């Protein structure tokens, strides 16, 4: 299906399953539809099952949006507690469109739980209480882990009908929802015809001899010198071995970080078992790392990649430079389990990092990699190979370390369902391709659009107006309920835009502070170490703070740099 046809179907208000091969443009089309809704002031919830998937579309996790926390099921008591929270009740009652991205990672239990909540709170027998549901994803990705229906029993003699569904399309709820299938047919990630032929062959269950030969050639592939490849393995044990070997190669001092448990010991142990936490985390400057928790305020999510560039002089915790060039102070985060009333039963605190020279194939879902070394010799589940190979932009960025027969297989049930979905999509496309657009959500009246534009005040403009009143950074932060560091970032943007048309004497730091920073800068420049500066040639704040022996806070360093440049 072409994107233009899918847009018509979405605009008409139909519940939709938007799918296609990796790089087919699902995210682009989704963002286009989200902007379309927001321009019309249609209340839309943008969600995904995991943190990294949610950030790809600027949303939040489905667990967070629904208020379910870590639950994948609901009881009458849970629904009653949710109703007590006015902000949740208002959210559920007013939302008109619910978007769930990367739906292959969504457990059937959570899918059904969400439906139960919305039907009850919206007093509607319709699926999801009558909300337009937009699901996106690719079921050739690895499925979520689904626990057996009979609890922890080791009895595997279940009837076939008792086996819980692995994918949401296998549920009765999916049939009730009956989403329009929009199967996008174009590819925007992989343009290499040989690579496309391989991936499409896997999706159809028939990999050709020429595709197998192309894969064989990847065993001897020389990857670009300017790209550090991530290694993908199917088993955690292999990942851990690679990461420890690489860590030992770094001739830097080790910093060890332990965990802090609280609450009921058995529940704390359960948290450890179900997470990626490491009880004894060893870190060095130069270590490649991945964040294993979401903290949107600090700018990282579960899956953010980076490198340790220093350790904070005061706290001792790692300072990480992400692949996007952002410096983050990785302080301990808390993992917890609460009961039905919200009371904390147990928690575990640890620095939210793991080594990332290697990661599991499962963890790589949702990533796009320039280069990867892939070991599929231990592939044990259909879809392992497809997920790993489709992460890479081109065959030229792939080096194979091993492969087995399972690596080229995909789930037979998914294969069969995918063929049905292709047919359904073709039928729907014929119906909508030449029909006029019937919009469920009309544009705002011209007058209202103008008023909306006039009254909208950008966040940095709010900061500018308060600074103009003569408020200090701390006073602005308190009044706006944001951090002082955020106010400083706004000030920097305003200066770069030339938007400061009033004196800032009340903010200017003491002369000796500016001089101390200038002396530190000269020392760093004289040393001429490329690791001291970013790709843009700016001296790293962590390096500058180290040069000043940690005597100047990060906020004061930023302020001194602003007025040194002014």
């Amino acid at each position: 299906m072409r994107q233009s046809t899918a847009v018509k179907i979405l605009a008409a208000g139909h519940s939709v399953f938007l799918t296609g091969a990796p790089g087919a443009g699902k995210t682009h089309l989704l963002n286009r539809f989200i902007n379309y809704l927001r321009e019309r002031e249609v209340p839309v919830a943008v969600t995904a099952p995991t943190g990294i998937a949610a950030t790809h579309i600027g949303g939040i996790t489905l667990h967070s949006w629904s208020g379910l926390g870590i639950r994948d099921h609901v009881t009458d008591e849970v629904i009653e507690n949710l109703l007590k929270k006015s902000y949740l009740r208002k959210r559920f009652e007013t939302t008109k469109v619910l978007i769930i991205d990367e739906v292959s990672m969504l457990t059937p239990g959570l899918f059904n739980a969400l439906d139960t909540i919305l039907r009850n709170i919206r007093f509607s027998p319709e699926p999801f209480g009558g909300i337009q549901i937009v699901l996106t994803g690719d079921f050739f990705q690895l499925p979520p882990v689904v626990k057996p229906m009979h609890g922890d029993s080791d009895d595997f003699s279940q009837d076939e009908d008792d086996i819980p569904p692995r994918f949401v399309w296998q549920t009765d709820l999916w049939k009730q929802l009956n989403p329009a299938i929009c199967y996008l047919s174009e590819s925007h990630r992989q343009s290499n015809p040989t690579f496309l032929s391989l991936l499409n062959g896997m999706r159809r269950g028939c990999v050709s001899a020429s595709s197998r030969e192309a894969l064989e050639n990847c065993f001897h592939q020389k990857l670009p010198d300017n790209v550090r490849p991530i290694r993908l393995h199917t088993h955690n044990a292999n990942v851990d071995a690679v990461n420890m070997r690489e860590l030992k190669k770094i001739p830097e001092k080790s910093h060890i970080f332990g965990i802090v448990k609280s609450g009921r010991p058995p529940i704390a142990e359960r948290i450890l078992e179900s997470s990626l936490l490491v009880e004894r985390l060893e870190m060095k400057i130069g270590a490649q790392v991945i964040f294993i928790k979401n903290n949107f305020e600090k700018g990282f999510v579960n899956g953010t990649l980076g490198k340790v560039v220093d350790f904070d002089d005061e706290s001792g915790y790692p300072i990480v430079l992400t692949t996007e060039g952002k410096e983050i102070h990785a302080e301990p985060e808390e993992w917890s389990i609460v009961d039905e009333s919200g009371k904390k039963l147990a928690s575990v605190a640890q620095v939210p990092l793991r080594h990332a020279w290697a990661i599991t194939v499962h963890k790589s879902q949702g990533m796009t990699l320039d280069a990867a070394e892939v070991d599929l010799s231990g592939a044990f589940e259909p879809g392992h190979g497809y997920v790993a190979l489709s992460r890479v932009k081109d065959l030229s960025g792939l080096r194979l370390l091993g492969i087995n027969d399972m690596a080229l297989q995909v789930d037979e049930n998914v294969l069969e369902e995918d063929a049905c979905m292709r047919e359904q999509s073709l039928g729907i496309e014929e119906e909508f391709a030449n029909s006029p657009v019937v919009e469920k959500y009309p544009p705002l009246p011209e007058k209202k659009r103008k008023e909306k534009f006039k009254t909208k005040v950008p966040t940095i403009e709010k900061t500018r107006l308060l600074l103009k009143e003569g408020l200090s950074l701390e006073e602005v932060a308190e009044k706006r309920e944001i951090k002082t560091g955020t106010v400083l970032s706004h000030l920097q943007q305003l200066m770069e835009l030339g938007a400061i048309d009033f004196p800032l004497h009340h903010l200017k730091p003491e002369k000796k502070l500016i001089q101390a920073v200038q002396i530190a800068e000269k020392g760093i420049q004289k040393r001429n170490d490329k690791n001291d500066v970013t790709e843009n040639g700016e001296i790293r704040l962590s390096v500058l703070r180290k040069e000043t022996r940690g005597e100047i806070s990060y906020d004061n360093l930023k302020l001194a740099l602003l007025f040194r440049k002014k």
Side-chain angles (χ1 to χ4, degrees):
M1 180 181 290
R2 297 182 66 83
Q3 289 196 11
S4 55
T5 307
V7 166
K8 285 184 181 180
I9 298 169
L10 288 164
H14 295 282
S15 286
V16 162
F17 173 46
L18 184 64
T19 189
K26 297 186 291 292
T27 301
H28 171 77
L29 180 55
L30 199 56
N31 284 325
R32 185 174 162 189
F33 183 55
I34 292 167
N35 290 334
Y36 167 91
L37 293 170
R38 286 174 175 163
E39 284 173 1
R40 287 158 173 74
E41 294 187 346
V42 178
V44 53
V46 183
T47 72
T50 67
I52 189 168
T55 56
H56 287 167
I57 53 169
I60 61 174
T61 64
L62 194 54
H63 279 100
S64 177
W65 182 82
S66 64
L68 281 172
I70 63 171
R71 301 181 192 88
D72 270 4
H73 68 282
V74 289
T75 61
D76 289 342
E77 187 179 1
V78 170
I79 293 174
E80 188 179 332
N81 284 327
L82 292 177
L83 277 168
K84 291 176 182 176
K85 299 176 181 178
S86 58
Y87 74 95
L88 282 177
R89 191 170 63 250
K90 183 179 179 181
R91 176 184 294 172
F92 298 145
E93 289 172 348
T94 59
T95 298
K96 292 188 181 297
V97 182
L98 173 60
I99 292 171
I100 308 175
D101 195 21
E102 296 291 0
V103 74
S104 66
M105 300 180 187
L106 178 61
T107 64
L110 180 56
F111 190 55
N112 282 305
L114 190 63
D115 170 65
T116 302
I117 290 169
L118 292 171
R119 289 195 203 212
N120 277 275
I121 290 179
R122 292 171 66 90
F123 301 103
S124 169
E126 296 295 316
F128 297 94
I131 290 175
Q132 180 184 3
I133 303 295
V134 179
L135 308 167
T136 67
D138 177 12
F139 287 114
F140 282 103
Q141 305 287 313
L142 292 167
V145 177
V146 178
K147 296 178 182 177
M149 285 182 69
H150 299 317
D152 297 324
S153 172
D154 291 329
D155 178 12
F156 293 99
S157 58
Q158 292 172 276
D159 292 335
E160 191 171 317
D161 291 341
D162 287 340
I163 298 173
R166 302 186 77 196
F167 297 100
V168 293
W169 59 264
Q170 296 173 313
T171 63
D172 290 336
L173 176 56
W174 181 278
K175 297 181 182 70
Q176 294 174 34
L177 183 65
N178 191 26
I181 309 298
C182 297
Y183 205 121
L184 300 182
S185 52
E186 299 165 301
S187 179
H188 302 278
R189 181 185 296 170
Q190 290 97 359
S191 56
N192 183 320
T194 305
F195 199 15
L196 284 172
S197 177
L198 165 65
L199 295 177
N200 286 328
M202 293 178 75
R203 292 178 72 90
R204 295 179 185 274
C206 52
V207 179
S208 67
S210 59
S211 291
R212 290 176 184 270
E213 184 181 347
L215 269 181
E216 288 288 329
N217 293 334
C218 290
F219 277 102
H220 314 289
Q221 184 95 272
K222 188 179 185 307
L223 299 180
D225 294 331
N226 62 329
V227 178
R228 176 66 190 256
I230 291 177
R231 185 172 288 191
L232 302 184
H233 285 277
T234 52
H235 290 74
N236 277 310
N238 300 112
V239 168
D240 292 341
V242 170
N243 285 331
M244 288 311 298
R245 186 170 65 242
E246 293 297 323
L247 186 69
K248 287 178 181 177
K249 290 180 183 177
I250 300 177
E252 295 280 348
K253 177 186 174 183
S254 288
H255 295 248
I256 309 299
F257 304 96
I259 63 169
V260 177
K261 301 179 190 176
S262 64
R264 301 181 191 174
I267 298 177
E269 287 302 319
R270 196 193 314 165
I271 296 172
L272 282 173
E273 290 169 7
S274 62
S275 69
L276 292 172
L277 284 165
V278 180
E279 289 198 52
R280 184 182 182 276
L281 181 64
E282 182 180 359
M283 283 290 158
K284 297 179 182 179
I285 291 177
Q288 286 191 199
V289 293
I290 185 169
F291 282 88
I292 58 173
K293 202 173 193 297
N294 303 322
N295 188 319
F296 301 106
E297 187 178 334
K298 289 186 179 179
F300 63 82
V301 297
N302 185 359
T304 297
L305 292 163
K307 180 184 287 188
V308 176
V309 293
D310 205 347
F311 293 89
D312 189 282
D313 291 332
E314 292 180 6
S315 67
Y317 293 120
I319 299 172
V320 178
L321 181 69
T322 70
T323 53
E324 296 179 346
K326 182 179 179 64
E327 267 191 11
I328 296 172
H329 290 246
E331 298 175 336
E333 298 279 336
E334 184 179 90
W335 285 253
S336 62
I337 289 180
V338 298
D339 63 15
E340 303 287 357
S341 65
K343 181 183 177 182
K344 190 187 298 182
L345 299 176
S347 67
V348 176
Q350 172 63 295
V351 175
L353 296 173
R354 284 195 73 159
H355 303 128
W357 288 278
I359 58 175
T360 61
V361 173
H362 199 282
K363 194 69 181 174
S364 74
Q365 289 193 130
M367 293 181 176
T368 299
L369 305 174
D370 292 311
E373 295 177 331
V374 180
D375 184 359
L376 294 170
S377 59
F380 59 89
E381 184 172 18
H384 257 144
Y386 182 78
V387 170
L389 298 176
S390 62
R391 297 308 92 211
V392 186
K393 289 181 179 178
D394 192 86
L395 275 177
S396 61
L398 171 67
R399 180 188 291 139
L400 265 184
L401 304 177
I403 195 167
N404 64 15
D405 292 337
M406 175 62 77
L408 296 182
Q409 295 180 31
V410 291
D411 190 304
E412 289 291 334
N413 293 317
V414 172
L415 204 59
E416 185 178 333
E417 183 64 22
D418 187 69
C420 295
M421 287 182 173
R422 287 176 186 270
E423 287 185 21
Q424 291 176 55
S425 181
L426 287 172
I428 293 168
E429 185 166 26
E430 287 179 12
E431 180 184 343
F432 279 90
N434 299 315
S435 64
V437 178
V438 181
E439 295 184 80
K440 181 176 180 179
Y441 313 109
L444 294 175
E446 183 68 23
K447 183 179 179 182
K448 189 169 183 181
R449 269 187 290 168
K450 286 181 177 178
E451 288 174 354
K452 181 183 176 184
F453 178 78
K454 280 169 65 177
T455 57
K456 188 175 180 181
V457 180
T459 183
I460 64 169
E461 176 61 14
K462 292 176 183 177
T463 297
R464 190 188 78 86
L465 293 172
L466 291 173
L467 290 173
K468 192 172 183 178
E469 291 177 18
L471 272 63
S472 68
L473 298 175
E474 292 75 15
E475 288 169 334
V476 174
E478 184 179 352
K479 201 170 184 74
R480 296 213 50 211
E481 297 183 345
I482 57 178
K483 291 194 171 182
T484 308
T486 306
V487 179
L488 273 166
S489 296
H490 289 174
L491 179 58
Q492 182 179 356
Q493 293 176 58
L494 290 164
M495 285 181 162
E496 289 171 354
L497 292 168
I500 299 295
D501 55 357
F502 49 88
L504 293 173
H505 304 308
H506 65 294
L507 298 182
K508 190 170 182 178
E510 293 180 12
K511 189 175 181 180
K512 64 179 182 181
L513 175 60
I514 296 177
Q515 288 175 339
V517 171
Q518 290 173 326
I519 291 169
E521 283 183 302
K522 287 177 182 177
I524 295 167
Q525 289 164 355
K526 190 175 181 181
R527 191 161 62 228
N528 196 25
D529 187 337
K530 64 180 181 180
N531 293 320
D532 290 343
V533 296
T534 65
E535 292 179 358
N536 298 325
E538 296 282 339
I539 294 174
R540 300 189 194 285
L541 276 179
S542 57
V543 175
L544 198 55
R545 189 157 193 261
K546 197 170 186 178
E547 190 72 16
T548 57
R549 301 176 183 177
E551 294 172 357
I552 306 174
S553 70
Y554 280 98
D555 283 349
N556 280 334
L557 281 174
K558 291 176 185 176
L559 194 60
L561 288 171
L562 286 177
F563 280 89
R564 185 263 294 150
K565 294 175 182 177
K566 199 175 186 308

